[in-house]
Amino acid sequence: MQATSPSPNSPVSMDDADACYLALKARDARFDGRFFTAVSSTGVYCRPVCRVRTPKRENCRFFALAAQAESAGYRPCLRCRPELAPGATPLNGAALGSLQNWSTQDASAILAQQAARLLDEPALWSDGTPSMADLATRLGVSERHVRRIFETHWGVSPLQYLQTRRLLMAKRLLTDTQLPVTQVATLSGFGSLRRFNASFVEHYRLQPRQLRKDREPEDGATAPNTSGFVLKSAYRPPYDVAAMLGFFATRQIAGMEQVDVQRLTLARTLSLTVGKQTYIGWVQARFEPERCTVVFDICNSLGDALPQVLARLRALLDLDAEPAAINACMADAFAGAEGLRVPGCLDGFELGVRAILGQQITVQAARTLGARLVERWGGELPKGPPGVNRLFPTPQVLVQASGEALGQMGIVRQRQAAIQALAQAVINGHVVLQPGVDIPATLAALQALPGIGPWTANYIAMRALRWPDAFVAGDVALQSALGVRNASNPQQAAEAASQRWKPWRSYAVVRAWASLAKPPEAITTT
């Protein structure tokens, strides 16, 4: 039977090696990160977009995960650099691409996918390095059970998966930064330099310092930057860059954010806590659509938190989304919106406050209130880029703000109470607003706070928790886009209409909102 090229509208099956080979020959970026090609004649594994000469078919093996390739004894390619590929985490990758509903999965598969997702979230762990005991506790099962279902589902152990993630992060930092090797080892999650060196030599068959000496800069490395770090990340097309930047541009707060749609850049300040240490600084993202790449400029002060910063930047721009799976689920709904992504955030608390400020008012009005908060209570960032020198207020600052002062900002009492309740919940640890947390529990905790209902909770889940199935059924604009505004119960009608888009309803929300900007005859309501 003659092989056919894998469809961009459905995930590549790891059993269809011939289809994978055709995607490799085409160097199709739509399949980047969805599989890796291991070449027996060279002992390395590559991304589908690798620009070296295409290997012979009989020399190729195909793996869904980098960890599987490394477990089979292959080394990452120094040219295409697998560490730059888009992620394929459970909620955004090939593993779930063909699923139309979570209920079709068995419990073990769901558990294995959630375990992998947790291992991919460095911000969830106090020191950035998860242990099997911590992982089992979060999943509510025994360590033995985690190892068993993980190996059954993924073909590698949790430790092998985690080891590959650590080694690829180390390879990335060694290639793209001038950080000392000891610091690279620590940031990558290794407990000692000796263990790091031993693992690197065992898996990659060269010393870490030798990688810097022998690296090939043309495909991944960037020139040293004395003011900070320059790192790259890839994404799978299609990606509507103008829409993403336009979303942030209409909401940008002066002094804290700066978006240039023409130059395809987004710059802003950032504050994040890793363990007991808080880091503040600035970041800038610059899109390179012709290469399906984003270049990140990260200031020096964030150097000790680079893995966490990179994870947040990828979430901010939704770089790990799986367009093929999402578009297949959407079918013909919202035609022309295939490249839209769900905008994320760099700080969950900030997003929560801005969501509260935006309740039942226009985007411009919410932006004005946010700017007043930043001007009054936001910290100053020394040595920031021009126009990017203010930080968003911390929970500790806002929880102590007086009602009178908040009222002078134009914030009504109900929203004052909601903001301060959220700040207190974040300080106490009762609410954690970052990817990888328990979604039902977090939604319930949010809605237990005064002034936060289903709309705000789901909006936060969509953008801060990165839950792809969040759905703001009570949103008036969404109801209008779906054509159910005049139904006897618009919210119930919107919820019913959304069932066909599970588990990607967040993307349906973004596409529905975008459709309202088109002429009425162009709005798709199916």
Side-chain angles (χ1 to χ4, degrees):
M1 179 177 178
Q2 185 176 4
T4 58
S5 179
S7 168
N9 295 318
S10 62
V12 175
S13 168
M14 290 300 104
D15 296 325
D16 193 349
D18 289 333
C20 289
Y21 187 68
L22 290 179
L24 172 67
K25 290 205 303 183
R27 295 178 174 82
D28 194 332
R30 292 173 296 180
F31 301 97
D32 194 8
R34 297 176 67 187
F35 69 88
F36 295 92
T37 304
V39 185
S40 59
S41 57
T42 62
V44 303
Y45 69 94
C46 301
R47 297 158 61 190
V49 296
C50 190
R51 292 191 282 176
V52 300
R53 189 173 72 175
T54 304
K56 294 180 180 179
R57 172 66 186 84
E58 59 266 27
N59 293 335
C60 295
R61 293 179 64 189
F62 300 98
F63 296 95
L65 300 175
Q68 295 169 347
E70 295 202 7
S71 178
Y74 293 92
R75 307 183 308 277
C77 176
L78 298 180
R79 183 93 176 191
C80 67
R81 303 181 55 197
E83 68 269 21
L84 302 184
T89 52
L91 294 184
N92 285 335
L96 292 188
S98 61
L99 299 173
Q100 298 297 310
N101 195 303
W102 289 96
S103 63
T104 62
Q105 303 180 88
D106 62 74
S108 294
I110 294 174
L111 197 64
Q113 291 154 7
Q114 180 64 4
R117 176 169 170 79
L118 290 173
L119 291 175
D120 283 331
E121 293 292 349
L124 285 176
W125 316 97
S126 58
D127 60 355
T129 55
S131 68
M132 290 304 100
D134 292 336
L135 179 63
T137 298
R138 281 186 175 270
L139 293 172
V141 296
S142 68
E143 292 183 52
R144 180 181 177 182
H145 188 59
V146 170
R147 286 193 295 269
R148 183 178 62 80
I149 61 98
F150 200 98
E151 290 182 22
T152 299
H153 187 78
W154 297 113
V156 294
S157 70
L159 287 178
Q160 288 174 315
Y161 184 92
L162 186 59
Q163 183 83 325
T164 297
R165 185 176 70 79
R166 290 170 173 170
L167 286 169
L168 288 177
M169 175 57 71
K171 181 176 178 292
R172 183 177 198 171
L173 296 179
L174 286 168
T175 304
D176 288 344
T177 77
Q178 298 300 315
L179 291 171
V181 174
T182 302
Q183 188 175 3
V184 168
T186 301
L187 289 176
S188 303
F190 289 90
S192 70
L193 179 60
R194 181 179 179 181
R195 182 176 299 175
F196 167 60
N197 285 332
S199 297
F200 210 88
V201 170
E202 178 186 355
H203 287 80
Y204 296 164
R205 299 166 209 167
L206 75 167
Q207 293 287 341
R209 289 179 176 84
Q210 187 182 349
L211 177 67
R212 281 182 166 167
K213 179 180 178 181
D214 297 342
R215 69 186 181 192
E216 299 181 46
E218 48 268 54
D219 274 13
T222 52
N225 184 348
T226 56
S227 65
F229 307 93
V230 181
L231 299 158
K232 293 183 177 181
S233 286
Y235 59 82
R236 285 175 283 262
Y239 191 120
D240 194 331
V241 176
M244 177 65 82
L245 291 177
F247 181 93
F248 287 117
T250 59
R251 292 160 175 81
Q252 64 183 327
I253 293 176
M256 193 180 77
E257 302 163 305
Q258 194 169 77
V259 181
D260 190 326
V261 178
Q262 298 302 317
R263 295 178 58 231
L264 305 182
T265 61
L266 181 157
R268 61 154 296 155
T269 59
L270 170 64
S271 173
L272 78 161
T273 300
V274 180
K276 297 181 179 180
Q277 182 69 41
T278 297
Y279 303 92
I280 63 171
W282 58 268
V283 295
Q284 177 180 276
R286 184 179 76 256
F287 283 88
E288 294 183 348
E290 68 282 358
R291 296 173 65 90
C292 297
T293 297
V294 184
V295 179
F296 298 124
D297 289 280
I298 303 170
C299 73
N300 274 322
S301 61
L302 298 173
D304 286 335
L306 280 179
Q308 289 81 6
V309 173
L310 284 168
R312 292 199 184 197
L313 286 169
R314 295 194 66 83
L316 173 73
L317 302 175
D318 199 12
L319 297 184
D320 294 326
E322 177 52 82
I326 297 165
N327 293 334
C329 183
M330 298 294 154
D332 295 328
F334 314 111
E338 291 78 10
L340 292 180
R341 303 290 176 102
V342 176
C345 69
L346 289 183
D347 181 82
F349 173 70
E350 175 195 319
L351 190 279
V353 172
R354 294 175 75 162
I356 293 169
L357 293 176
Q359 292 172 349
Q360 299 179 336
I361 61 174
T362 66
V363 171
Q364 180 56 49
R367 174 180 172 179
T368 299
L369 293 177
R372 291 172 182 171
L373 277 183
V374 170
E375 180 63 28
R376 175 70 182 271
W377 286 289
E380 185 175 354
L381 178 67
K383 299 181 180 179
V388 182
N389 52 21
R390 302 288 296 179
L391 296 160
F392 195 82
T394 65
Q396 291 79 4
V397 169
L398 288 183
V399 80
Q400 295 178 3
S402 68
E404 180 181 359
L406 289 169
Q408 290 174 352
M409 299 290 101
I411 303 172
V412 300
R413 290 183 179 179
Q414 182 180 7
R415 293 186 192 120
Q416 292 175 23
I419 290 171
Q420 295 194 311
L422 178 63
Q424 190 63 63
V426 169
I427 292 170
N428 295 339
H430 296 159
V431 171
V432 179
L433 300 178
Q434 61 189 29
V437 299
D438 186 295
I439 297 295
T442 304
L443 287 175
L446 284 170
Q447 293 181 71
L449 301 176
I452 296 183
W455 184 95
T456 305
N458 275 273
Y459 185 78
I460 292 172
M462 181 170 69
R463 295 192 55 198
L465 309 186
R466 307 307 299 153
W467 185 34
D469 203 39
F471 192 73
V472 287
D475 187 83
V476 174
L478 174 66
Q479 294 169 3
S480 297
L482 298 182
V484 299
R485 185 75 189 110
N486 296 323
S488 58
N489 188 328
Q491 183 166 332
Q492 186 176 23
E495 189 72 38
S498 74
Q499 296 306 301
R500 75 192 80 172
W501 301 317
K502 282 178 169 286
W504 309 106
R505 292 189 298 171
S506 288
Y507 293 87
V509 171
V510 171
R511 296 179 185 202
W513 284 340
S515 72
L516 295 176
K518 302 176 183 179
E521 63 272 16
I523 296 177
T524 304
T525 58
T526 55

